[in-house]
Every structure is written in structure tokens, then in C-alpha cells.
Amino acid sequence: MEQLFNIICEEGTMCGSMSLSGTQWFLIFTCIALIIAQLFPNLNSIARVSLTGAITSIGYCTMIWALSISKGRPNDVSYGIPVADRTGMTGFGNILNAIGIIMLAFRGHNLILEIQGTLPSDSKHPSRKSMWRGVMVSYMIIAMCLFPLAIVGFWAYGNKIPEEGILTAFTKFHGQDTSKYVIGLIYIWLTISCITSYQIYAMPAFDNLEFIYASSKKRRCPGWVRAGIRLFFGGVTFFVAVAFPFLGKLAPLIGGMAAVPLTFVYPCFMWISIRKPRPKGAMWSLNLGVGSIGIVLSLLLIVAAVWKLDDKGLNANFFRP
């Protein structure tokens, strides 16, 4: 949102002299997300929000890699890795970090929550087949977004890609010869995608808080209480975002402990526990093997995250987003 503002309000314009702090941008984002959250009572009602987020995600991913191809490669692009980064413990840590990035890119805990929460199921019409189709189609779309980004991004920018990612590289190398309206459209779609993602991640928390209220009061949750719960949750997320703006650097570590097991480990062992297949049979061995691989990958991601933090340090800028 800040980048979009900077694109629209160039120097010399009336709003060009204005500048907002990181805290103010966090507050604007939270307010927009909470206004939208008030419009949808539960997870089953946000299908249109999810569809909007999917369309915008496909849109900005496609625009980034397509524009990177059309604009061509910058001069002096190199595809080699410095010797210091590919030997010894540094090279080993970089390999683990790369594996972790791939795993986090294909994590599916939010996808599973949405599919389970929005597809109806009963004894006569179980949703197993619908869920399976939903998972397959969703991951096909995710792969269609991520693989072109990775391939084209490496071809176009090589080792010049900054830590912030390919969008930062595109604006850095091609921002001057690309229409600001095109770049602004990318940031608009990215912002919409993030706001819709907030709804999907937050809705299970809303549902759980409302369930706790309904269980304790023995009655349905009235509208004013629902609105208050969502405002409270939004306030908590805003406080955490402002108080710990460095959480993004801890994402691989947190993902290795939470998101990766939730995607690659728990479902396999839960299936074995619930379905109780024949020990050492094909499905039992498959789920045990995939779950075990998930545990190993999760441990590798944690080790890589700790290694990177130890190597580069952590700028714990509390309350200074």
C-alpha cells in the first residue's frame, strides 16, 4: 500500500509531500480488512472473497513474469553463485534455506481450512471427492503461479534478485521504462490479495471465539457481539504487527514448527489413526513414509532458519515498523 501511494503521489503533486509511518499503514490495512470482515458471518460465506483473492493473485503473478520477459534481462546478469556462498557450512545453510522456501511456498493449511469449511458433507453425500478435486485444482493454480515466477525470475534477474523478491527486482530494473499505471495495477492486485488472505486466516479465529461465546451463554452470538469480537481480534493483530514488525524474518522458523507439520505431517498420521489401515500395507506405508519425510523436512527448515538468524542476525525493531 505504501508503494502504491508512492507511485500515485509522485514528487511535485499535492499529496507527494505527505508521508505516513509504518504504524499508520498497518492501521489502514487493518481497518480495511475489518470492514470487509464485518460483511461475512462465517467461513462458508467468503467464497466470493476467496475467488477475488485467487483472481488477483493469478493476475499479479502473471503480470510480473510476463513483463519481466517483455522487458528483457538487465545488463551484467549473472547466474553463478559466489564461491563463499556455495562451500562449507554457508553453502549447506543456503541449501537448507532453499528447501525451506519451497516447502513454505506450497504449504496448504489455509487451503485445507477453507475447503473443509466451505464444502457441505453428510452421510449420503460425503465431500471426499469434492475436497480432493478442490485440492488438486488449487495446487495446480498455485504451481501455475509459482513455477513461472521462479523460472522467469531466475532467467531475468539471476543473482540480482534482492531478498524482498522478484517484484522489488522488477521495479528496480524496469520501473523507469514501465508505465506507473501498470506497476500500480500490480500493487493494487497484491493489496487485494493480502486483504482477502486476511479474511481466510482470521475467519477460523472468529468462528472459534463466537463458538466459545455461544457455548458459555447458551445462545446464538448477536450481531453486536460478533462485531466486537472481530474488532478485538483486529486490534490484537494490529498490536502484534506494530510491536513485532520483524516477525517476517522469523517466518521460516515459525513455519517449520507449525505450518509445515500441519501440511505435510499431521494429515498422514491422522489418516492412519482414523482409518486404521492394514499395518505395513500400501496405504499405511505410503502415509507413514510421507509423514516421516515431512518431519525430516520440518526439522531441516528449522535448522536452516536458526542458521540464517545466527549468520545474519535479527534486527528486533520493537514498535518501529
Side-chain angles (χ1 to χ4, degrees):
M1 292 172 66
E2 183 177 10
Q3 293 294 334
L4 177 62
F5 178 83
N6 293 334
I7 292 172
I8 297 174
C9 296
E10 297 176 336
E11 293 184 7
T13 59
M14 184 177 298
C15 60
S17 59
M18 298 174 56
S19 62
L20 300 178
S21 65
T23 301
Q24 290 171 321
W25 283 115
F26 281 19
L27 180 60
I28 293 173
F29 179 88
T30 304
C31 290
I32 295 174
L34 289 178
I35 291 173
I36 296 175
Q38 302 295 345
L39 304 177
F40 303 95
N42 51 51
L43 188 63
N44 196 45
S45 63
I46 62 171
R48 286 174 293 179
V49 175
S50 178
L51 178 61
T52 303
I55 293 173
T56 54
S57 297
I58 295 172
Y60 78 76
C61 287
T62 303
M63 284 190 68
I64 292 172
W65 66 257
L67 288 171
S68 297
I69 293 177
S70 65
K71 297 296 181 181
R73 291 178 293 183
N75 296 326
D76 302 325
V77 171
S78 173
Y79 302 104
I81 302 174
V83 177
D85 291 338
R86 66 170 184 253
T87 58
M89 290 302 297
T90 301
F92 179 70
N94 288 336
I95 292 173
L96 295 183
N97 188 57
I99 294 174
I101 291 173
I102 296 172
M103 284 190 298
L104 289 177
F106 286 93
R107 68 194 184 279
H109 55 295
N110 56 330
L111 175 68
I112 295 170
L113 281 173
E114 185 181 359
I115 288 175
Q116 289 182 339
T118 56
L119 289 180
S121 179
D122 53 46
S123 58
K124 293 183 178 179
H125 303 92
S127 60
R128 292 192 303 271
K129 294 182 179 180
S130 300
M131 286 185 179
W132 181 245
R133 285 196 298 268
V135 170
M136 295 296 291
V137 172
S138 298
Y139 271 103
M140 286 176 61
I141 295 175
I142 292 171
M144 288 169 55
C145 291
L146 295 183
F147 276 102
L149 272 181
I151 296 169
V152 173
F154 183 70
W155 170 84
Y157 308 109
N159 57 14
K160 291 182 178 291
I161 296 183
E163 289 189 4
E164 291 81 5
I166 186 174
L167 179 55
T168 303
F170 176 79
T171 54
K172 176 182 177 182
F173 294 110
H174 301 299
Q176 299 299 323
D177 58 345
T178 303
S179 170
K180 70 175 185 178
Y181 299 105
V182 174
I183 300 179
L185 179 61
I186 294 175
Y187 280 110
I188 289 174
W189 282 353
L190 179 57
T191 302
I192 295 174
S193 175
C194 291
I195 291 174
T196 55
S197 297
Y198 183 97
Q199 312 303 320
I200 297 172
Y201 282 112
M203 194 60 72
F206 296 156
D207 286 350
N208 287 333
L209 292 173
E210 292 171 16
F211 175 77
I212 293 172
Y213 175 87
S215 300
S216 61
K217 298 295 184 178
K218 306 298 182 183
R219 59 189 177 92
R220 295 185 64 181
C221 185
W224 67 271
V225 174
R226 177 183 290 116
I229 287 175
R230 299 182 182 204
L231 290 174
F232 169 76
F233 180 84
V236 171
T237 58
F238 170 71
F239 173 78
V240 172
V242 173
F244 308 100
F246 54 88
L247 275 180
K249 296 181 180 179
L250 297 178
L253 180 61
I254 298 173
M257 294 187 293
V260 172
L262 197 61
T263 301
F264 298 104
V265 180
Y266 298 156
C268 299
F269 293 116
M270 287 173 63
W271 191 89
I272 292 176
S273 176
I274 295 172
R275 298 297 295 270
K276 294 181 173 55
R278 181 173 58 86
K280 299 183 180 180
M283 293 304 298
W284 183 90
S285 301
L286 176 63
N287 280 273
L288 181 64
V290 173
S292 301
I293 293 174
I295 293 175
V296 173
L297 293 176
S298 179
L299 293 175
L300 290 177
L301 177 54
I302 294 173
V303 171
V306 173
W307 172 267
K308 187 173 183 180
L309 290 174
D310 179 68
D311 182 45
K312 296 189 176 182
L314 176 65
N315 181 21
N317 51 330
F318 293 98
F319 294 98
R320 294 195 305 274

